[in-house]
Amino acid sequence: MRSPLMRRLGLTAVLALLLAAFGLAPGASAAEPAPATLTFSSDSATTTPGGTVNLSMTLTNNATYDIWFVYQTIDPTWLTTQRPDLKYSFTSCTLATAAGATPCSGTGPANLGANYGATIPPGQSRTVTLTLQIAADSGCNGNIGFYSYYYAEFSDRTSVSGGPAYTPETRVLCA
């Protein structure tokens, strides 16, 4: 007589065999990267009132088709909004190109997607740098951080949404 445990193991084995036969079992292949990824970096982890920090956003096309369109938001994190004494704004935006940096438009919590320039070919990236200006009368000893969501459309008529992607936090220190 078989024990209840042996019966369950046998039933599990039969179920796994049926799933594999009909192609419903999980594959053992390596995970593929997302069709597009958004990453952030900053040139400084700290600043003082009146200082600036450059936040760089890099959008990478991991798909086999061109990215034709990008829509992106950038908003302060919840903890940042809880400190009304922290005063800041985005004052400039530049797109890195082979010929050097060029100005872009749409800074702030608006559509940042147009800032990545035209088509992003497969395997390539575009980097946009936003300058975060801390007001001279800003509060101190708090962190400023942002998060972003994006939507990208590809030339094969597919699309992808991603996020949230978080910026590194900037600590505003008292001098």
Side-chain angles (χ1 to χ4, degrees):
M1 180 165 178
R2 294 171 68 180
S3 72
L5 177 61
M6 293 300 286
R7 279 191 292 248
R8 280 190 208 133
L9 288 176
L11 181 59
T12 302
V14 169
L15 184 57
L17 182 62
L18 286 173
L19 287 173
F22 289 103
L24 301 174
S29 65
E32 290 187 29
T37 54
L38 177 65
T39 57
F40 285 95
S41 63
S42 72
D43 67 350
S44 178
T46 61
T47 190
T48 56
T52 61
V53 175
N54 291 313
L55 297 174
S56 294
M57 311 178 299
T58 301
L59 183 67
T60 303
N61 182 356
N62 299 319
T64 56
Y65 293 93
D66 293 342
I67 292 178
W68 277 0
F69 172 80
V70 179
Y71 178 83
Q72 180 186 346
T73 63
I74 188 163
D75 294 294
T77 61
W78 183 83
L79 287 175
T80 299
T81 65
Q82 299 309 297
R83 292 283 308 268
D85 63 322
L86 295 174
K87 299 176 186 173
Y88 56 88
S89 63
F90 289 113
T91 58
S92 69
C93 175
T94 56
L95 170 64
T97 68
T102 61
C104 51
S105 62
T107 59
N111 175 3
L112 293 167
N115 295 333
Y116 290 104
T119 304
I120 303 174
Q124 292 191 19
S125 300
R126 295 285 190 276
T127 299
V128 171
T129 301
L130 298 172
T131 301
L132 178 65
Q133 174 72 50
I134 310 303
D137 64 342
S138 177
C140 304
N141 299 320
N143 293 337
I144 297 174
F146 300 90
Y147 67 95
S148 183
Y149 286 94
Y150 68 92
Y151 168 82
E153 290 182 0
F154 297 86
S155 61
D156 68 342
R157 298 185 184 163
T158 61
S159 62
V160 64
S161 296
Y166 291 91
T167 66
E169 290 187 335
T170 298
R171 181 90 174 156
V172 181
L173 301 174
C174 291

